[in-house]
Amino acid sequence: MHPTTLTLTDPENQQTITLPVRKGTIGPAAVDVSGLYREFGMFTYDPGFLATASCSSSITYIDGEAGILRYRGYSIEELATKASFLEVAYLLIYGELPTEYDLSKFEHNICHHGMIDEALKNFFRGFHHNAHPMAVLIGVTGSLSAFYHDTLDIHTPEQRELSAYRVIAKLPTIAAAAYKHSKGEPFIYPRYNMRYVENFLHMMFATPCEQYRVNRLAEKAMNLLFILHADHEQNASTSTVRLTASSGANPYACVAAGIASLWGPAHGGANEEVLNMLEEIKDVKHINVYLDKAKNKNDSFRLMGFGHRVYKHYDPRAKILRGVCHRVLKELADSNNPLFELALRLEEIALQDAYFLERKLYPNVDFYSGIIYRALGIPVSMFTAMFAIARSSGWMAHWLEMMNDPEQRIGRPRQLYLGHALRQYNSIGKR
Ligand code: ACO
């Protein structure tokens, strides 16, 4: 049983501080420090938010020690095997699994918002053909607010819902268009008669020259990857979306900020880095050299796809993907995929190494996702864009949740100031 208050003693100032403790449904309780500065003139100090809950949320639950991930109370293992991505997106946004009617209406709505304004196409032409797709995604997504003025009033629930549909629907179109631009191929319009993932693969790989049929196993594998990436509570990009939104910014601007945060190699950019790393390691015989580099504190190299802020055990998403890798590679690529063999061996060796064991560094979701994306024909530079498409459902679920949160205020962290105290200004000739 948790205490309902926490008492701290500050002998220097001879004061005792009593703080309320808030309990969640499950998981650790949180000390409510919101009145600390007002009443006692002190801040809390927690760089990187290692022990700080920035908000309350009912969307996703993670137990990092036990390797548990649940969306709205449903285990990721069950959703990964039984649901479709849009079913999961509905669950994240509305809090309940959809009925057949709800789901077909939701799918219809998302599907029919897949087109982007024709004028938006001009934006792509402004990018050089070798622009990174994430740079294009940030720019074009941010510009959606210049086109869809009927969804910019964040105080109207109907407009908020419509903007969520638009973000989830248009991100695949924008990402596929970014890819087509890089190839110098014509954009392929979204198809209303296709499922979400099928439609995306069609926009990526079809050309106007011939009929293109989406491989069902590829669609299934990508559906699974999208479910696994759909949400992960207050991660860096979701927190960025929330912080951006806290000032009242429009949803498209918030999502563009989230995409920018996701791009970093410590977050969503890791799936791209994992593939680059495996290609650099090249052979099992070089693994130890790279492990030594990762352990060397004077070397900035990190084992990409390893470690997680929350999971101090095997990431449950990585466990699911590890199994799926075998089947996808067997059916879509060569079964003796050298990169997969290398990844398996790297994992095995790292997990016998005291450095990784002591620090509880296990493979995360991105250790295996890139290998599958590659087998599906997705170019490495598009990996993080795949993540962004999937995470758009989580970002919008969090944004909608915070818009209804009576405790929501502008996010404004404080600081521990370590600079100079008051100094005298000397005129330039006297310095
Ligand atoms: N390789 C080598 N050492 C590592 C790694 C790694 N991948 N990750 C953490 N460490 C070490 C750190 O050097 C540190 O060692 P020390 O205690 O001797 O100083 C210790 O483990 C703790 O690391 P922190 O950086 O404090 O852990 P944090 O929780 O801040 O970082 C992170 C988590 C960013 C994911 C980190 O593990 C990392 O950079 N991993 C590689 C990038 C990656 O795979 N990112 C994807 C994350 S999952 C996702 O976003 C979907």
Side-chain angles (χ1 to χ4, degrees), residues 265-268 270 294 297 302-309 312 317 355-356 359 361 364-366 387:
H267 190 12
K297 294 292 162 203
R302 281 194 165 197
L303 203 57
M304 299 314 286
F306 260 73
H308 198 276
R309 168 59 61 79
K312 298 304 166 197
R317 302 166 299 175
Y355 175 95
F356 293 91
R359 290 168 181 74
L361 301 171
N364 60 49
V365 64
D366 284 329
F387 196 156

Side-chain angles (χ1 to χ4, degrees), residues 66-87:
I68 290 173
L69 169 61
R70 293 180 199 146
Y71 298 157
R72 300 282 190 184
Y74 295 96
S75 82
I76 192 65
E77 290 79 7
E78 206 176 4
L79 292 171
T81 46
K82 297 181 181 166
S84 71
F85 170 67
L86 281 191
E87 201 178 341

Side-chain angles (χ1 to χ4, degrees), residues 204-262:
M204 281 285 292
F205 299 120
T207 65
C209 312
E210 58 186 346
Q211 183 94 6
Y212 179 82
R213 292 187 75 130
V214 173
N215 180 299
R216 290 306 293 271
L217 178 65
E219 183 189 350
K220 221 173 147 203
M222 188 165 280
N223 185 66
L224 171 78
L225 281 157
F226 280 10
I227 291 174
L228 299 183
H229 278 127
D231 193 44
H232 215 234
E233 49 119 308
Q234 311 311 322
N235 56 88
S237 56
T238 303
S239 298
T240 302
V241 170
R242 279 186 178 261
L243 188 60
T244 311
S246 77
S247 70
N250 73 69
Y252 307 109
C254 298
V255 170
I259 298 171
S261 167
L262 185 75

